[in-house]
PDB file of all heavy atoms in Angstrom:
ATOM      1  N   GLU A 177     -50.477 205.735 -19.238  1.00 89.00           N
ATOM      2  CA  GLU A 177     -51.296 205.316 -18.145  1.00 89.00           C
ATOM      3  C   GLU A 177     -52.499 206.269 -17.984  1.00 89.00           C
ATOM      4  O   GLU A 177     -52.323 207.474 -17.977  1.00 89.00           O
ATOM      5  CB  GLU A 177     -50.545 205.289 -16.833  1.00 89.00           C
ATOM      6  CG  GLU A 177     -51.335 204.785 -15.630  1.00 89.00           C
ATOM      7  CD  GLU A 177     -50.481 204.694 -14.409  1.00 89.00           C
ATOM      8  OE1 GLU A 177     -50.337 205.783 -13.724  1.00 89.00           O
ATOM      9  OE2 GLU A 177     -50.056 203.622 -13.980  1.00 89.00           O
ATOM     10  N   SER A 178     -53.677 205.720 -17.854  1.00 89.00           N
ATOM     11  CA  SER A 178     -54.901 206.447 -17.679  1.00 89.00           C
ATOM     12  C   SER A 178     -55.915 205.462 -17.111  1.00 89.00           C
ATOM     13  O   SER A 178     -55.682 204.251 -17.132  1.00 89.00           O
ATOM     14  CB  SER A 178     -55.452 207.012 -19.008  1.00 89.00           C
ATOM     15  OG  SER A 178     -55.859 206.007 -19.881  1.00 89.00           O
ATOM     16  N   PHE A 179     -57.028 205.987 -16.550  1.00 89.00           N
ATOM     17  CA  PHE A 179     -58.015 205.097 -16.009  1.00 89.00           C
ATOM     18  C   PHE A 179     -58.638 204.196 -17.103  1.00 89.00           C
ATOM     19  O   PHE A 179     -58.892 203.055 -16.873  1.00 89.00           O
ATOM     20  CB  PHE A 179     -59.172 205.893 -15.363  1.00 89.00           C
ATOM     21  CG  PHE A 179     -58.870 206.309 -13.939  1.00 89.00           C
ATOM     22  CD1 PHE A 179     -58.782 207.675 -13.570  1.00 89.00           C
ATOM     23  CD2 PHE A 179     -58.621 205.374 -12.971  1.00 89.00           C
ATOM     24  CE1 PHE A 179     -58.468 208.084 -12.293  1.00 89.00           C
ATOM     25  CE2 PHE A 179     -58.310 205.734 -11.647  1.00 89.00           C
ATOM     26  CZ  PHE A 179     -58.264 207.093 -11.341  1.00 89.00           C
ATOM     27  N   SER A 180     -58.740 204.749 -18.315  1.00 91.00           N
ATOM     28  CA  SER A 180     -59.349 203.961 -19.410  1.00 91.00           C
ATOM     29  C   SER A 180     -58.416 202.829 -19.813  1.00 91.00           C
ATOM     30  O   SER A 180     -58.836 201.708 -20.001  1.00 91.00           O
ATOM     31  CB  SER A 180     -59.638 204.868 -20.601  1.00 91.00           C
ATOM     32  OG  SER A 180     -58.464 205.440 -21.090  1.00 91.00           O
ATOM     33  N   ARG A 181     -57.159 203.066 -19.825  1.00 93.00           N
ATOM     34  CA  ARG A 181     -56.162 202.014 -20.214  1.00 93.00           C
ATOM     35  C   ARG A 181     -56.076 200.952 -19.078  1.00 93.00           C
ATOM     36  O   ARG A 181     -56.025 199.753 -19.396  1.00 93.00           O
ATOM     37  CB  ARG A 181     -54.776 202.617 -20.476  1.00 93.00           C
ATOM     38  CG  ARG A 181     -54.795 203.418 -21.796  1.00 93.00           C
ATOM     39  CD  ARG A 181     -53.440 204.164 -22.040  1.00 93.00           C
ATOM     40  NE  ARG A 181     -53.473 204.810 -23.292  1.00 93.00           N
ATOM     41  CZ  ARG A 181     -52.862 204.403 -24.417  1.00 93.00           C
ATOM     42  NH1 ARG A 181     -52.178 203.266 -24.375  1.00 93.00           N
ATOM     43  NH2 ARG A 181     -52.889 205.107 -25.573  1.00 93.00           N
ATOM     44  N   LEU A 182     -56.062 201.425 -17.890  1.00 93.00           N
ATOM     45  CA  LEU A 182     -56.084 200.451 -16.753  1.00 93.00           C
ATOM     46  C   LEU A 182     -57.343 199.588 -16.763  1.00 93.00           C
ATOM     47  O   LEU A 182     -57.304 198.375 -16.555  1.00 93.00           O
ATOM     48  CB  LEU A 182     -55.933 201.182 -15.453  1.00 93.00           C
ATOM     49  CG  LEU A 182     -54.512 201.825 -15.153  1.00 93.00           C
ATOM     50  CD1 LEU A 182     -54.688 202.711 -13.940  1.00 93.00           C
ATOM     51  CD2 LEU A 182     -53.439 200.820 -15.055  1.00 93.00           C
ATOM     52  N   ALA A 183     -58.473 200.240 -17.037  1.00 92.00           N
ATOM     53  CA  ALA A 183     -59.730 199.525 -17.057  1.00 92.00           C
ATOM     54  C   ALA A 183     -59.820 198.532 -18.183  1.00 92.00           C
ATOM     55  O   ALA A 183     -60.281 197.374 -18.041  1.00 92.00           O
ATOM     56  CB  ALA A 183     -60.894 200.487 -17.231  1.00 92.00           C
ATOM     57  N   LEU A 184     -59.270 198.863 -19.363  1.00 93.00           N
ATOM     58  CA  LEU A 184     -59.313 197.938 -20.486  1.00 93.00           C
ATOM     59  C   LEU A 184     -58.388 196.741 -20.220  1.00 93.00           C
ATOM     60  O   LEU A 184     -58.786 195.596 -20.503  1.00 93.00           O
ATOM     61  CB  LEU A 184     -58.847 198.641 -21.760  1.00 93.00           C
ATOM     62  CG  LEU A 184     -58.931 197.738 -23.063  1.00 93.00           C
ATOM     63  CD1 LEU A 184     -60.363 197.180 -23.255  1.00 93.00           C
ATOM     64  CD2 LEU A 184     -58.599 198.621 -24.312  1.00 93.00           C
ATOM     65  N   GLU A 185     -57.226 196.943 -19.659  1.00 94.00           N
ATOM     66  CA  GLU A 185     -56.386 195.807 -19.316  1.00 94.00           C
ATOM     67  C   GLU A 185     -57.038 194.932 -18.278  1.00 94.00           C
ATOM     68  O   GLU A 185     -56.916 193.687 -18.341  1.00 94.00           O
ATOM     69  CB  GLU A 185     -54.978 196.316 -18.792  1.00 94.00           C
ATOM     70  CG  GLU A 185     -54.054 195.139 -18.565  1.00 94.00           C
ATOM     71  CD  GLU A 185     -52.644 195.566 -18.196  1.00 94.00           C
ATOM     72  OE1 GLU A 185     -52.369 196.809 -18.201  1.00 94.00           O
ATOM     73  OE2 GLU A 185     -51.803 194.649 -17.869  1.00 94.00           O
ATOM     74  N   PHE A 186     -57.731 195.554 -17.305  1.00 94.00           N
ATOM     75  CA  PHE A 186     -58.469 194.801 -16.294  1.00 94.00           C
ATOM     76  C   PHE A 186     -59.558 193.944 -16.893  1.00 94.00           C
ATOM     77  O   PHE A 186     -59.800 192.817 -16.562  1.00 94.00           O
ATOM     78  CB  PHE A 186     -58.999 195.731 -15.268  1.00 94.00           C
ATOM     79  CG  PHE A 186     -59.507 195.085 -14.006  1.00 94.00           C
ATOM     80  CD1 PHE A 186     -58.569 194.774 -12.993  1.00 94.00           C
ATOM     81  CD2 PHE A 186     -60.799 194.718 -13.816  1.00 94.00           C
ATOM     82  CE1 PHE A 186     -58.993 194.101 -11.795  1.00 94.00           C
ATOM     83  CE2 PHE A 186     -61.255 194.113 -12.661  1.00 94.00           C
ATOM     84  CZ  PHE A 186     -60.357 193.739 -11.653  1.00 94.00           C
ATOM     85  N   VAL A 187     -60.262 194.534 -17.929  1.00 93.00           N
ATOM     86  CA  VAL A 187     -61.282 193.779 -18.663  1.00 93.00           C
ATOM     87  C   VAL A 187     -60.652 192.521 -19.293  1.00 93.00           C
ATOM     88  O   VAL A 187     -61.202 191.422 -19.213  1.00 93.00           O
ATOM     89  CB  VAL A 187     -61.924 194.683 -19.758  1.00 93.00           C
ATOM     90  CG1 VAL A 187     -62.658 193.857 -20.774  1.00 93.00           C
ATOM     91  CG2 VAL A 187     -62.798 195.708 -19.163  1.00 93.00           C
ATOM     92  N   ILE A 188     -59.507 192.721 -19.939  1.00 94.00           N
ATOM     93  CA  ILE A 188     -58.813 191.632 -20.606  1.00 94.00           C
ATOM     94  C   ILE A 188     -58.459 190.499 -19.644  1.00 94.00           C
ATOM     95  O   ILE A 188     -58.716 189.349 -19.838  1.00 94.00           O
ATOM     96  CB  ILE A 188     -57.567 192.099 -21.374  1.00 94.00           C
ATOM     97  CG1 ILE A 188     -57.984 193.078 -22.504  1.00 94.00           C
ATOM     98  CG2 ILE A 188     -56.802 190.929 -21.975  1.00 94.00           C
ATOM     99  CD1 ILE A 188     -56.804 193.835 -23.133  1.00 94.00           C
ATOM    100  N   LEU A 189     -57.866 190.863 -18.542  1.00 95.00           N
ATOM    101  CA  LEU A 189     -57.306 189.930 -17.570  1.00 95.00           C
ATOM    102  C   LEU A 189     -58.412 189.178 -16.798  1.00 95.00           C
ATOM    103  O   LEU A 189     -58.158 188.066 -16.368  1.00 95.00           O
ATOM    104  CB  LEU A 189     -56.339 190.586 -16.600  1.00 95.00           C
ATOM    105  CG  LEU A 189     -55.068 191.176 -17.234  1.00 95.00           C
ATOM    106  CD1 LEU A 189     -54.265 191.979 -16.226  1.00 95.00           C
ATOM    107  CD2 LEU A 189     -54.245 190.105 -17.864  1.00 95.00           C
ATOM    108  N   THR A 190     -59.511 189.758 -16.641  1.00 93.00           N
ATOM    109  CA  THR A 190     -60.617 189.186 -15.859  1.00 93.00           C
ATOM    110  C   THR A 190     -61.713 188.560 -16.764  1.00 93.00           C
ATOM    111  O   THR A 190     -62.551 187.851 -16.242  1.00 93.00           O
ATOM    112  CB  THR A 190     -61.293 190.184 -14.926  1.00 93.00           C
ATOM    113  OG1 THR A 190     -61.834 191.254 -15.681  1.00 93.00           O
ATOM    114  CG2 THR A 190     -60.286 190.720 -13.911  1.00 93.00           C
ATOM    115  N   ALA A 191     -61.618 188.851 -18.069  1.00 91.00           N
ATOM    116  CA  ALA A 191     -62.662 188.376 -19.011  1.00 91.00           C
ATOM    117  C   ALA A 191     -64.016 188.901 -18.513  1.00 91.00           C
ATOM    118  O   ALA A 191     -65.067 188.251 -18.765  1.00 91.00           O
ATOM    119  CB  ALA A 191     -62.730 186.850 -19.106  1.00 91.00           C
ATOM    120  N   GLY A 192     -64.038 190.126 -17.921  1.00 91.00           N
ATOM    121  CA  GLY A 192     -65.253 190.669 -17.452  1.00 91.00           C
ATOM    122  C   GLY A 192     -65.945 191.497 -18.527  1.00 91.00           C
ATOM    123  O   GLY A 192     -65.385 191.856 -19.513  1.00 91.00           O
ATOM    124  N   ARG A 193     -67.218 191.833 -18.213  1.00 90.00           N
ATOM    125  CA  ARG A 193     -67.988 192.714 -19.066  1.00 90.00           C
ATOM    126  C   ARG A 193     -67.555 194.192 -18.786  1.00 90.00           C
ATOM    127  O   ARG A 193     -67.259 194.519 -17.657  1.00 90.00           O
ATOM    128  CB  ARG A 193     -69.427 192.557 -18.847  1.00 90.00           C
ATOM    129  CG  ARG A 193     -69.997 191.190 -19.260  1.00 90.00           C
ATOM    130  CD  ARG A 193     -71.526 191.098 -19.047  1.00 90.00           C
ATOM    131  NE  ARG A 193     -72.050 189.873 -19.493  1.00 90.00           N
ATOM    132  CZ  ARG A 193     -72.166 188.809 -18.709  1.00 90.00           C
ATOM    133  NH1 ARG A 193     -71.845 188.845 -17.426  1.00 90.00           N
ATOM    134  NH2 ARG A 193     -72.699 187.710 -19.162  1.00 90.00           N
ATOM    135  N   SER A 194     -67.539 195.027 -19.845  1.00 88.00           N
ATOM    136  CA  SER A 194     -67.126 196.377 -19.664  1.00 88.00           C
ATOM    137  C   SER A 194     -67.912 197.071 -18.560  1.00 88.00           C
ATOM    138  O   SER A 194     -67.306 197.784 -17.704  1.00 88.00           O
ATOM    139  CB  SER A 194     -67.322 197.117 -20.991  1.00 88.00           C
ATOM    140  OG  SER A 194     -67.165 198.508 -20.825  1.00 88.00           O
ATOM    141  N   GLY A 195     -69.218 196.927 -18.539  1.00 89.00           N
ATOM    142  CA  GLY A 195     -70.028 197.605 -17.544  1.00 89.00           C
ATOM    143  C   GLY A 195     -69.712 197.167 -16.134  1.00 89.00           C
ATOM    144  O   GLY A 195     -69.719 198.010 -15.220  1.00 89.00           O
ATOM    145  N   GLU A 196     -69.452 195.919 -15.924  1.00 91.00           N
ATOM    146  CA  GLU A 196     -69.109 195.358 -14.600  1.00 91.00           C
ATOM    147  C   GLU A 196     -67.776 196.035 -14.144  1.00 91.00           C
ATOM    148  O   GLU A 196     -67.613 196.358 -12.952  1.00 91.00           O
ATOM    149  CB  GLU A 196     -68.992 193.881 -14.626  1.00 91.00           C
ATOM    150  CG  GLU A 196     -70.370 193.227 -14.949  1.00 91.00           C
ATOM    151  CD  GLU A 196     -70.190 191.817 -15.464  1.00 91.00           C
ATOM    152  OE1 GLU A 196     -69.031 191.283 -15.379  1.00 91.00           O
ATOM    153  OE2 GLU A 196     -71.173 191.214 -15.927  1.00 91.00           O
ATOM    154  N   VAL A 197     -66.855 196.104 -15.052  1.00 90.00           N
ATOM    155  CA  VAL A 197     -65.521 196.683 -14.684  1.00 90.00           C
ATOM    156  C   VAL A 197     -65.631 198.225 -14.445  1.00 90.00           C
ATOM    157  O   VAL A 197     -65.138 198.723 -13.410  1.00 90.00           O
ATOM    158  CB  VAL A 197     -64.475 196.418 -15.796  1.00 90.00           C
ATOM    159  CG1 VAL A 197     -63.177 197.212 -15.538  1.00 90.00           C
ATOM    160  CG2 VAL A 197     -64.238 194.943 -15.862  1.00 90.00           C
ATOM    161  N   ARG A 198     -66.285 198.906 -15.288  1.00 90.00           N
ATOM    162  CA  ARG A 198     -66.327 200.388 -15.203  1.00 90.00           C
ATOM    163  C   ARG A 198     -67.167 200.763 -13.876  1.00 90.00           C
ATOM    164  O   ARG A 198     -66.849 201.845 -13.331  1.00 90.00           O
ATOM    165  CB  ARG A 198     -67.083 200.976 -16.444  1.00 90.00           C
ATOM    166  CG  ARG A 198     -66.261 200.875 -17.655  1.00 90.00           C
ATOM    167  CD  ARG A 198     -66.912 201.556 -18.840  1.00 90.00           C
ATOM    168  NE  ARG A 198     -68.117 200.819 -19.328  1.00 90.00           N
ATOM    169  CZ  ARG A 198     -69.334 201.184 -19.101  1.00 90.00           C
ATOM    170  NH1 ARG A 198     -69.595 202.330 -18.380  1.00 90.00           N
ATOM    171  NH2 ARG A 198     -70.352 200.466 -19.551  1.00 90.00           N
ATOM    172  N   GLY A 199     -68.077 199.963 -13.461  1.00 89.00           N
ATOM    173  CA  GLY A 199     -68.852 200.296 -12.257  1.00 89.00           C
ATOM    174  C   GLY A 199     -68.224 199.721 -10.977  1.00 89.00           C
ATOM    175  O   GLY A 199     -68.832 199.862  -9.861  1.00 89.00           O
ATOM    176  N   ALA A 200     -67.072 199.133 -11.057  1.00 90.00           N
ATOM    177  CA  ALA A 200     -66.469 198.501  -9.844  1.00 90.00           C
ATOM    178  C   ALA A 200     -66.127 199.526  -8.790  1.00 90.00           C
ATOM    179  O   ALA A 200     -65.603 200.551  -9.093  1.00 90.00           O
ATOM    180  CB  ALA A 200     -65.216 197.695 -10.236  1.00 90.00           C
ATOM    181  N   THR A 201     -66.362 199.157  -7.503  1.00 91.00           N
ATOM    182  CA  THR A 201     -66.031 200.014  -6.419  1.00 91.00           C
ATOM    183  C   THR A 201     -64.974 199.254  -5.547  1.00 91.00           C
ATOM    184  O   THR A 201     -64.879 198.025  -5.549  1.00 91.00           O
ATOM    185  CB  THR A 201     -67.245 200.377  -5.579  1.00 91.00           C
ATOM    186  OG1 THR A 201     -67.903 199.166  -5.130  1.00 91.00           O
ATOM    187  CG2 THR A 201     -68.190 201.223  -6.355  1.00 91.00           C
ATOM    188  N   PHE A 202     -64.234 200.027  -4.741  1.00 92.00           N
ATOM    189  CA  PHE A 202     -63.124 199.442  -3.995  1.00 92.00           C
ATOM    190  C   PHE A 202     -63.626 198.457  -2.967  1.00 92.00           C
ATOM    191  O   PHE A 202     -62.868 197.443  -2.698  1.00 92.00           O
ATOM    192  CB  PHE A 202     -62.286 200.585  -3.278  1.00 92.00           C
ATOM    193  CG  PHE A 202     -61.521 201.373  -4.221  1.00 92.00           C
ATOM    194  CD1 PHE A 202     -61.912 202.706  -4.522  1.00 92.00           C
ATOM    195  CD2 PHE A 202     -60.402 200.892  -4.864  1.00 92.00           C
ATOM    196  CE1 PHE A 202     -61.135 203.481  -5.393  1.00 92.00           C
ATOM    197  CE2 PHE A 202     -59.657 201.660  -5.655  1.00 92.00           C
ATOM    198  CZ  PHE A 202     -59.991 202.984  -6.011  1.00 92.00           C
ATOM    199  N   ASP A 203     -64.843 198.621  -2.448  1.00 92.00           N
ATOM    200  CA  ASP A 203     -65.311 197.660  -1.426  1.00 92.00           C
ATOM    201  C   ASP A 203     -65.640 196.292  -1.998  1.00 92.00           C
ATOM    202  O   ASP A 203     -65.917 195.349  -1.209  1.00 92.00           O
ATOM    203  CB  ASP A 203     -66.472 198.244  -0.618  1.00 92.00           C
ATOM    204  CG  ASP A 203     -67.685 198.533  -1.569  1.00 92.00           C
ATOM    205  OD1 ASP A 203     -67.566 198.348  -2.740  1.00 92.00           O
ATOM    206  OD2 ASP A 203     -68.717 199.008  -1.010  1.00 92.00           O
ATOM    207  N   GLU A 204     -65.623 196.159  -3.284  1.00 92.00           N
ATOM    208  CA  GLU A 204     -65.894 194.813  -3.875  1.00 92.00           C
ATOM    209  C   GLU A 204     -64.661 193.943  -3.897  1.00 92.00           C
ATOM    210  O   GLU A 204     -64.777 192.774  -4.245  1.00 92.00           O
ATOM    211  CB  GLU A 204     -66.430 195.032  -5.327  1.00 92.00           C
ATOM    212  CG  GLU A 204     -67.755 195.722  -5.392  1.00 92.00           C
ATOM    213  CD  GLU A 204     -68.209 196.036  -6.812  1.00 92.00           C
ATOM    214  OE1 GLU A 204     -67.444 195.689  -7.785  1.00 92.00           O
ATOM    215  OE2 GLU A 204     -69.266 196.608  -7.023  1.00 92.00           O
TER     216      GLU A 204
END
């Protein structure tokens, strides 16, 4: 578990762009 691994799985599950995921903030 790391932020990078969580972020990559989130990219896969949302079909999002890497930049959109990496810049995500909690208020979104």
